């Protein structure tokens, strides 16, 4: 079955479920009548909704394919084997994992997988470089060693390097050898602890010394769990560092752990965005029709003064209303065929009225239909004026049209003024943004100079 047939059948079923009318169908039908000059509005309406549904189906199919592909890539890219082993690589890498303790919620933790072995090259230079940067390795979540409120990372091995460390403390009252705080001994005024690390790399050695001011932290159950879990991961890392895979702990705080890799939610977001896009696509066509209808009305309003002026001129020259009407329509069609005139809705409606009169429709009725099709108050007034003067005679019609032309000019000036106000309103936001940028350029240097 072709996609077009499937879309048509879907619209038919949906219309039946909704009582024979699709959402916004009447407004769409009216807009199509205004924008197109053929009697086959229902066929055009059906084609419009068929094309819209086909577009939605294509968007939905693309979204589903993208979501399935994202899910397949996510499921096929797992590294966790046998529920607790991760492979080692040539360089260290970090893997985001999920861990679930028995009877508790799923937690997330980042596990660092280091290489099996690194070659011993330029050990002395490497040790010196690491000694200078050791503060950044051990700070953890602390801002500086002057204010230590959470565990220090007194690491035994520098990530991504063959460098190991042995730590010594001048006091173990407030700080353990692994860097964890001993909360029961912490004092509000703080305690000074001298840290000494002996760094080793392929037979070379360097010494790092620093002084830390330890203050009481605020630890919750989550922090305690993560601390013990990290310690267990570190312990197994050391025990399995010569193996091809790093083992993860199966218990923490006396509870069994279940490890899982993070499942990317890309496919879920793709589905959500697909549904949102389908909604936007469904309403986009209707919004475009409304925009074209507004542009049509504005164009007809701009042409009104010219049409009334030409009718007045031709009637003043002795022409009848019908002849003047046909002359204006014929001139437009000639220029249109020659490519010297773009589509003008008002003139198209005039040409349609001429064809109606040629097919036997009464002149008064043709003018009435013209005003109804235009669906613009000014043209309704013009059609009523022409229809009324056909019944009473054309005497005085030229004067009435001149008055109407003067009113149309005033109304056109008002329309231009309103358009100018709308344009200035649209420019207001960019102007505000430009002002904000200028103020930023002025205030930032001024503030920096005051601080200096």
């Amino acid at each position: 079955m072709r996609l077009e047939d499937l879309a048509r059948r879907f619209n038919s079923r949906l219309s039946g479920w909704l009582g024979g009318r699709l959402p916004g169908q009447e407004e769409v039908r009216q807009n199509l009548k205004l924008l197109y000059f053929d009697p086959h509005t229902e066929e055009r309406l059906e084609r419009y909704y068929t094309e819209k549904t086909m577009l939605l189906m294509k968007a939905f199919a693309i979204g589903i394919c993208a979501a399935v592909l994202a899910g397949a890539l996510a499921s096929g890219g797992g590294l966790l084997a046998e529920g607790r082993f991760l492979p080692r690589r040539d360089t260290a890498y970090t893997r985001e994992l999920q861990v679930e303790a028995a009877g508790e919620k799923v937690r997330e933790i980042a596990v660092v997988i280091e290489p099996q072995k690194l070659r011993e090259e330029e050990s002395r230079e490497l040790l010196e470089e690491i000694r200078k940067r050791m503060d950044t390795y051990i700070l953890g979540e602390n801002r500086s060693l002057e204010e230590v409120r959470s565990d220090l990372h007194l690491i035994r091995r520098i990530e991504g390097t063959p460098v190991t460390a042995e730590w010594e403390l001048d006091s173990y009252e407030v700080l353990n050898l692994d860097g964890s705080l001993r909360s029961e001994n912490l004092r509000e005024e703080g305690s000074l602890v001298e840290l000494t690390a002996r760094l080793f790399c392929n037979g070379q050695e360097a010494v790092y010394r620093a002084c830390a001011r330890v203050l009481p932290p605020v630890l919750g159950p989550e922090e305690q769990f993560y601390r013990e879990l990290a310690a267990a991961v570190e312990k197994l890392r050391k025990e399995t560092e010569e193996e091809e895979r790093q083992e993860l702990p199966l218990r923490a705080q006396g509870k069994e752990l279940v490890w899982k890799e993070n499942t990317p939610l890309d496919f879920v977001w793709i589905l959500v965005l697909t549904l949102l896009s389908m909604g936007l696509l469904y309403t986009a066509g209707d919004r475009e029709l409304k925009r074209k209808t507004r542009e049509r009305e504005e164009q007809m309003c701009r042409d009104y003064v010219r049409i009334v002026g030409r009718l007045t001129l031709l009637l003043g020259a002795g022409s009848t209303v019908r002849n003047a009407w046909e002359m204006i329509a014929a001139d437009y069609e000639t220029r249109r065929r020659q490519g010297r005139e773009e589509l003008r809705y008002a003139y198209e409606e005039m040409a349609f009225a001429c064809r109606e009169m040629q097919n036997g429709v009464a002149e008064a009725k043709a003018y009435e239909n013209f005003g109804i099709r235009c669906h613009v108050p000014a043209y309704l007034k013009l059609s009523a004026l022409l229809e009324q003067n056909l019944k009473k005679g054309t005497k005085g019609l030229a004067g009435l049209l001149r008055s109407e032309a003067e009113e149309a000019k005033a109304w056109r000036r008002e329309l231009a003024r309103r358009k100018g106000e709308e344009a200035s309103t649209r420019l207001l936001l960019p102007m505000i943004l430009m002002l904000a940028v200028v103020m930023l350029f002025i205030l930032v240097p001024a503030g920096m100079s005051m601080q200096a």
Side-chain angles (χ1 to χ4, degrees), residues 78-98:
L79 298 177
L80 189 64
E82 300 179 22
R84 56 173 179 164
F85 293 101
L86 289 170
R88 298 185 186 277
R89 295 176 178 172
D90 293 337
T91 59
Y93 68 96
T94 303
R95 195 70 175 173
E96 297 287 341
L97 299 176
Q98 292 180 350

Side-chain angles (χ1 to χ4, degrees), residues 324-366:
W325 190 277
E326 290 178 344
M327 288 175 63
I328 295 173
D331 180 59
Y332 164 76
E333 290 183 324
T334 300
R335 287 184 284 110
R336 183 93 169 116
R337 284 193 300 270
Q338 295 175 352
R340 295 187 293 116
E341 184 71 82
E342 63 179 7
L343 177 67
R344 314 299 295 184
Y345 290 99
Y347 290 98
E348 291 285 346
E349 296 292 354
M350 291 182 70
F352 191 87
C354 289
R355 290 191 291 271
E356 281 187 332
M357 289 186 281
Q358 292 168 3
N359 292 330
V361 178
E363 186 178 351
K365 183 62 176 176

Side-chain angles (χ1 to χ4, degrees), residues 10 68 159 275 318 417:
F10 175 80
V68 171
E159 179 184 358
L275 295 177
R417 185 187 63 81

Side-chain angles (χ1 to χ4, degrees), residues 172-175 182-187 191:
Y172 296 90
E173 181 182 4
V174 296
L175 199 63
R182 304 185 66 177
S183 56
E184 66 276 7
N185 297 330
L186 296 179
R187 296 187 293 270
S191 302

Side-chain angles (χ1 to χ4, degrees), residues 103-140:
E104 294 192 1
K105 65 180 182 180
V106 177
R107 298 178 173 90
E108 295 186 359
I109 184 173
V111 178
V112 179
I113 310 301
E114 297 182 355
Q116 287 181 263
K117 187 178 181 181
L118 294 176
R119 289 179 295 180
E120 298 180 1
E121 297 179 357
E122 302 178 347
S123 300
R124 179 66 63 184
E125 291 79 0
L126 180 61
L127 283 174
E128 183 63 22
E129 180 183 352
I130 290 177
R131 188 185 67 80
K132 293 178 180 179
R133 296 185 309 181
M134 185 58 80
D135 287 359
T136 61
Y137 289 123
I138 68 175
L139 278 177

